[in-house]
Amino acid sequence: MVESKALFIRPELLMQPQLVKPLHGLAPRTIMGQAWWNKTRQKCYAENNYHCFACGVHKTNAKFHKWLEAHESYEIDFDKRQYRLIEIVALCHACHNFIHAGRLQALYEKGQISPNKYREVHAWGNDILFFAGLDKSKAWWTAPDIQAKLLPETNGTWEGWHLLFNGTKYYSRWKTYEDWKNFYDGIDED
């Protein structure tokens, strides 16, 4: 089998900030439904000849799993407390887990992934960024004033957070950090 080449590689995708907790569980896929999500993600996978947008690996050579995963990429306005969907991107499992470092940390702490996988995912993403000349510690969202806005559980900014999608504002389903914590503490993730 002759494998096609990636049309592009965008390691800067690995520099995305974490999704703020008030917007957990709120995504275009949940708004539009599974049929829309399946069609959208399949189109996304084909867009780069079934290669990860961030690292360029073909799905058949991907680390951990031989498939791609779809990820929502957002434009963030912290002053408006708004995430706006920019695009859906295709990522290998390792790159997707690197972007969702908070979730990865939670799975590790619960013993649901091995220490080896935890280290490998971080090494994978860090190597990609290093070879691309990117430094995640210098990303725009690492500034102290932005970091405070990323942690609404400590500064009481849950009210008003929303996802702007197709011209409609979708607000957080959580009123407080305690609501969020009670929900997610009861879920076993795999």
Side-chain angles (χ1 to χ4, degrees):
M1 175 179 161
V2 176
E3 186 180 299
S4 61
K5 294 189 182 225
L7 300 174
F8 54 85
I9 299 173
R10 295 171 34 207
E12 66 275 7
L13 290 168
L14 298 181
M15 302 275 288
Q16 293 184 351
Q18 297 294 296
L19 185 68
V20 291
K21 287 182 173 99
L23 296 182
H24 286 184
L26 181 63
R29 69 179 91 179
T30 58
I31 294 165
M32 299 299 291
Q34 195 63 45
W36 175 86
W37 182 243
N38 288 342
K39 182 179 177 183
T40 300
R41 66 190 178 104
Q42 291 304 322
K43 182 179 174 186
C44 172
Y45 301 155
E47 184 180 333
N48 196 22
N49 292 330
Y50 298 92
H51 289 76
C52 176
F53 283 29
C55 72
V57 70
H58 189 268
K59 70 177 188 171
T60 58
N61 296 319
K63 193 175 198 62
F64 304 115
H65 302 294
K66 306 301 180 201
W67 62 67
L68 295 174
E69 300 171 1
H71 172 77
E72 297 98 342
S73 182
Y74 298 101
E75 174 185 84
I76 306 160
D77 185 327
F78 288 105
D79 294 326
K80 291 181 180 178
R81 297 183 185 161
Q82 175 179 283
Y83 276 61
R84 184 181 65 79
L85 181 70
I86 298 171
E87 66 179 331
I88 309 292
V89 298
L91 298 172
C92 68
H93 183 74
C95 286
H96 201 193
N97 275 278
F98 184 80
I99 288 175
H100 289 291
R103 180 180 180 277
L104 184 70
Q105 179 73 32
L107 293 174
Y108 173 69
E109 289 172 1
K110 291 179 180 180
Q112 294 176 340
I113 62 166
S114 70
N116 190 43
K117 181 174 181 180
Y118 180 79
R119 285 189 301 272
E120 283 185 58
V121 167
H122 280 289
W124 178 263
N126 287 330
D127 284 352
I128 291 164
L129 291 175
F130 175 80
F131 288 112
L134 299 170
D135 184 350
K136 196 168 187 175
S137 71
K138 294 181 179 157
W140 65 269
W141 53 268
T142 62
D145 61 319
I146 298 295
Q147 278 298 297
K149 293 175 183 179
L150 280 171
L151 300 170
E153 66 270 24
T154 61
N155 65 17
T157 59
W158 285 72
E159 187 176 327
W161 277 105
H162 63 277
L163 166 66
L164 182 63
F165 178 63
N166 286 343
T168 301
K169 290 181 180 179
Y170 297 89
Y171 288 89
S172 174
R173 58 197 264 195
W174 318 114
K175 299 288 184 207
T176 66
Y177 172 71
E178 289 73 29
D179 291 343
W180 173 90
K181 186 167 177 19
N182 288 337
F183 178 83
Y184 282 104
D185 279 351
I187 293 179
D188 287 329
E189 299 185 48
D190 47 307

